[in-house]
Amino acid sequence: MATVQAGTELQQAIALLKKKNWVDLTHTFGPNSPHFAAFDDAEFKTLFTHDDGFFSQRFTFPGQYGTHIDAPIHFVQDQRYLEELELKELVLPLVVIDKSKEALENNDFTLSKEDILAFEAINGEIEAGTFVALRTDWSKRWPDKTAFENKDEAGNSHLPGWGIDALRFLFEERNVNAVGHETFDTDSSINVRKNGSLIGEYYVLEQDTYQIELLTNLDKVPTKGAYIFNIVAKPEKATGFPVRSFAILP
C-alpha cells in the first residue's frame, strides 16, 4: 500500500510540473557558434548515413562550449570533477538579477554588491541555497560571433559580468549555491584586463560549486519563483561539458 501511495504522489508531482511553463535556457550550438577565444571551432562530422543503415556523427569540442557547466576542478586544483556533483545540486531555486538595460547602455557593466542590495530592496533578500543568474540579454547576440565578442578597434572585447565584491556577497553573506550568466566568462571583460586574470571565475569555483555559462532566455523567467535544472552528461574526469539548462516557472 505504501508503494502505491508513493507512486501516486510522484505521479501527481510530475503531472503538476508538466502543467507549468518550461523555459529552455540553452543555446543550440555548432561549428560556427561563438566560443571562448582560446578554443578552436567545434567540428561535427558524419560517420555513417542512412545509406549505411544508420545515421551517426562525431562531435569534437572543448568541455566549455555552448551553454555549459564548469565544475570546480576547471580552475581549482584538487576540487571536484563534473561526475562528482550530486544530482540534487543541479536543481535549485532560481533568482534572476536583470541588468539588461545597464549592459545595453554600458557594455562594460560590472555587477556590484551595491547593485545586489538595490535589487533586494525591491525584491526581498536573496535566499540561501539558490542559483543566481545575471541577466544582461547578451544572449540575444547569439550566434553572431562578431556581435558576441564585441571587440573595439584595438581588439579588446567589451562584455558585462560579475564583480568580485558581488560574488563574495552572494556566497559569503547570502550563502547561495551557484551562479550563471550569458557571456563566456564570469568576470566582465574590463575586469579581466584590469586584474590580469579571471578572479571572479576562480572565486566561484573555489567555493566547491559550479557555474553555468552562456545561458539564454533569462528574459522569459521571473525574478523569483522558478527552479533551474542543469542536465548534463557524465564524462569521466571532466572539467565541464555542454549542459541542457531549463527553468520551470511557478
Side-chain angles (χ1 to χ4, degrees), residues 99-124:
K99 290 299 177 181
S100 55
K101 180 181 178 182
E102 288 82 352
L104 178 63
E105 295 173 349
N106 174 19
N107 295 166
D108 290 318
F109 172 78
T110 304
L111 189 78
S112 67
K113 175 182 175 179
E114 287 69 29
D115 291 319
I116 298 176
L117 291 173
F119 170 87
E120 289 187 328
I122 298 172
N123 300 286

Side-chain angles (χ1 to χ4, degrees), residues 205-220:
L205 300 179
E206 192 180 27
Q207 308 312 304
D208 192 31
T209 189
Y210 65 92
Q211 63 173 8
I212 306 294
E213 297 192 299
L214 295 171
L215 287 165
T216 189
N217 290 331
L218 290 175
D219 57 325
K220 299 178 181 178

Side-chain angles (χ1 to χ4, degrees), residues 2 17 19 23 25 29 35 42 55 63 114 121 129 163 168-169 175 181 189 202-203 213 223-224 229:
L17 289 177
K19 290 179 180 178
V23 176
L25 303 178
F29 73 89
H35 58 77
F55 184 27
E114 287 69 29
R168 284 177 175 148
F169 176 75
N175 298 307
H181 41 272
S189 297
Y202 187 96
Y203 173 81
E213 297 192 299
T223 300
K224 287 186 175 182
F229 291 68

Side-chain angles (χ1 to χ4, degrees), residues 4-249:
V4 173
Q5 179 65 29
T8 300
E9 290 177 353
L10 183 56
Q11 290 169 357
Q12 292 173 346
I14 296 298
L16 175 62
L17 289 177
K18 287 193 172 184
K19 290 179 180 178
K20 302 296 182 181
N21 186 18
W22 295 36
V23 176
D24 195 346
L25 303 178
T26 311
H27 287 294
T28 299
F29 73 89
N32 297 317
S33 299
H35 58 77
F36 184 64
F39 298 146
D40 293 331
D41 292 344
E43 295 182 16
F44 290 8
K45 181 179 179 180
T46 296
L47 299 178
F48 301 97
T49 69
H50 290 122
D51 291 339
D52 301 309
F54 60 91
F55 184 27
S56 184
Q57 301 158 287
R58 181 172 66 207
F59 305 96
T60 304
F61 49 78
Q64 284 72 27
Y65 209 91
T67 304
H68 64 269
I69 184 171
D70 287 334
I73 192 68
H74 177 43
F75 264 56
V76 188
Q77 292 185 6
D78 302 321
Q79 290 280 26
R80 290 185 296 168
Y81 286 94
L82 182 59
E83 66 198 83
E84 297 176 283
L85 296 177
E86 298 293 336
L87 291 174
K88 291 182 180 179
E89 292 181 70
L90 303 178
V91 180
L92 296 171
L94 177 60
V95 175
V96 179
I97 299 177
D98 180 9
K99 290 299 177 181
S100 55
K101 180 181 178 182
E102 288 82 352
L104 178 63
E105 295 173 349
N106 174 19
N107 295 166
D108 290 318
F109 172 78
T110 304
L111 189 78
S112 67
K113 175 182 175 179
E114 287 69 29
D115 291 319
I116 298 176
L117 291 173
F119 170 87
E120 289 187 328
I122 298 172
N123 300 286
E125 187 171 303
I126 294 173
E127 297 83 357
T130 53
F131 181 107
V132 181
L134 174 58
R135 174 189 164 192
T136 57
D137 284 355
W138 208 258
S139 60
K140 295 182 182 299
R141 296 170 178 248
W142 190 277
D144 187 325
K145 280 187 176 182
T146 300
F148 210 93
E149 294 173 353
N150 195 37
K151 292 182 178 180
D152 59 25
E153 294 180 355
N156 295 315
S157 290
H158 296 270
L159 285 76
W162 301 88
I164 187 64
D165 62 325
L167 292 169
R168 284 177 175 148
F169 176 75
L170 287 175
F171 282 99
E172 297 173 22
E173 298 190 45
R174 292 295 180 259
N175 298 307
V176 305
N177 273 26
V179 297
H181 41 272
E182 301 180 47
T183 51
F184 298 130
D185 300 315
T186 315
D187 308 71
S188 62
S189 297
I190 195 169
N191 267 9
V192 174
R193 291 192 293 276
K194 181 174 69 175
N195 298 319
S197 64
L198 292 163
I199 62 172
E201 186 152 349
Y202 187 96
Y203 173 81
V204 170
L205 300 179
E206 192 180 27
Q207 308 312 304
D208 192 31
T209 189
Y210 65 92
Q211 63 173 8
I212 306 294
E213 297 192 299
L214 295 171
L215 287 165
T216 189
N217 290 331
L218 290 175
D219 57 325
K220 299 178 181 178
V221 180
T223 300
K224 287 186 175 182
Y227 270 73
I228 188 171
F229 291 68
N230 301 300
I231 308 304
V232 66
K234 198 177 179 182
E236 183 178 356
K237 301 299 182 185
T239 64
F241 210 73
V243 69
R244 188 66 181 267
S245 295
F246 63 92
I248 299 181
L249 276 54

